């Protein structure tokens, strides 16, 4: 992670922040070939906002992920995952996360993918707060079958471990 400046406070100042999509990333790890081979890849964040409130539990966030940005570096696999068999990115171009509860160690809310909305929780691993921005490093695990993505059972792993590194800038 590349952040500049010295952290100034332990919590961000109140107000609206936008996600800096150029400085933010979502990486994932999964398994394929009957769970024998690891797969790593990325998704791109299309945009989002964070409203920091007092108390922190009143804060809200919304993140939009470009489903078609799924990339593992294998064009054939990436095309299959974007197809109607898996993510069906033509019909479902966005994956969204909307918070319902925020605290210093976790963010809980709903994740919507492939037309299915399910509860999801992010574990906050680290946060760095600066004068006009903050960066959060968080993790979660997603079970693709909960979102109707059931193709290639056995060949494609059921779960993805996601790592988010999100930088937010005060607007």
């Amino acid at each position: 992670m590349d952040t500049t400046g010295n952290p100034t406070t332990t919590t961000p100042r109140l107000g609206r922040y936008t996600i800096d999509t150029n400085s933010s990333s979502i990486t994932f790890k999964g398994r394929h070939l009957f769970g024998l081979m690891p797969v790593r890849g990325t998704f791109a964040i299309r945009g989002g906002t964070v409203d920091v409130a007092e108390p922190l539990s009143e804060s809200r966030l919304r993140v939009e992920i470009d489903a078609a940005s799924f990339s593992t570096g294998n064009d054939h696999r990436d095309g299959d995952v974007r197809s109607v068999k898996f993510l069906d990115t033509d019909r479902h171009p966005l994956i969204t996360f909307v918070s319902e509860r925020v605290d210093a160690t976790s963010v809980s809310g709903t994740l919507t993918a492939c037309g299915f909305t399910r509860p999801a929780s992010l574990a906050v691993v680290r946060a760095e707060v600066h004068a006009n921005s903050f960066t959060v490093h968080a993790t979660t695990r997603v079970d693709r079958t909960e979102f109707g993505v059931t193709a290639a059972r056995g060949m494609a792993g059921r779960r993805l471990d996601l790592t988010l590194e999100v930088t937010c800038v005060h607007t």
Side-chain angles (χ1 to χ4, degrees), residues 129-142:
V129 178
H130 302 275
N132 290 310
S133 67
F134 65 92
T135 300
V136 174
H137 180 92
T139 61
T140 191
R141 175 174 271 188
V142 175

Side-chain angles (χ1 to χ4, degrees), residues 110-125:
T110 57
L111 181 66
T112 302
C114 301
F116 292 85
T117 300
R118 300 287 184 259
S121 183
L122 304 170
V124 176
V125 177

Side-chain angles (χ1 to χ4, degrees), residues 1 3 14 27 31 33 36 39 50 52 54-55 60-62 72 87 97 109 114-115 117 122 147 149 164:
M1 175 170 66
T3 57
L14 302 180
T27 58
R31 312 253 342 137
L33 235 66
L36 299 174
V39 175
V50 178
V52 178
E54 180 64 39
R60 296 291 176 251
L61 66 101
R62 177 182 172 82
T72 63
L87 292 178
F97 177 80
C114 301
T117 300
L122 304 170
F147 297 90
V149 182
L164 298 85

Side-chain angles (χ1 to χ4, degrees), residues 43 65 67 86-89 91-97 110-118 142-149 162:
F43 279 102
I65 301 159
F86 290 91
L87 292 178
D88 194 5
T89 60
R91 286 185 50 224
H92 307 286
L94 285 180
I95 299 169
T96 60
F97 177 80
T110 57
L111 181 66
T112 302
C114 301
F116 292 85
T117 300
R118 300 287 184 259
V142 175
D143 181 338
R144 69 184 178 98
T145 63
E146 291 181 2
F147 297 90
V149 182
L162 301 167

Side-chain angles (χ1 to χ4, degrees), residues 7-83:
T8 57
T9 60
T10 56
T11 58
R13 70 180 196 183
L14 302 180
R16 174 155 283 196
Y17 292 76
T18 57
I19 294 176
D20 180 351
T21 58
N22 293 321
S23 299
S24 301
S25 65
I26 299 175
T27 58
F28 64 83
K29 295 187 294 187
R31 312 253 342 137
H32 76 111
L33 235 66
F34 306 105
L36 299 174
M37 302 296 293
V39 175
R40 296 178 188 278
T42 62
F43 279 102
I45 298 174
R46 184 178 284 181
T49 58
V50 178
D51 293 308
V52 178
E54 180 64 39
L56 186 60
S57 61
E58 296 296 317
S59 298
R60 296 291 176 251
L61 66 101
R62 177 182 172 82
V63 180
E64 294 182 344
I65 301 159
D66 183 1
S69 70
F70 177 93
S71 177
T72 63
N74 179 314
D75 291 339
H76 180 56
R77 175 180 36 236
D78 296 349
D80 279 350
V81 171
R82 291 182 197 120
S83 77

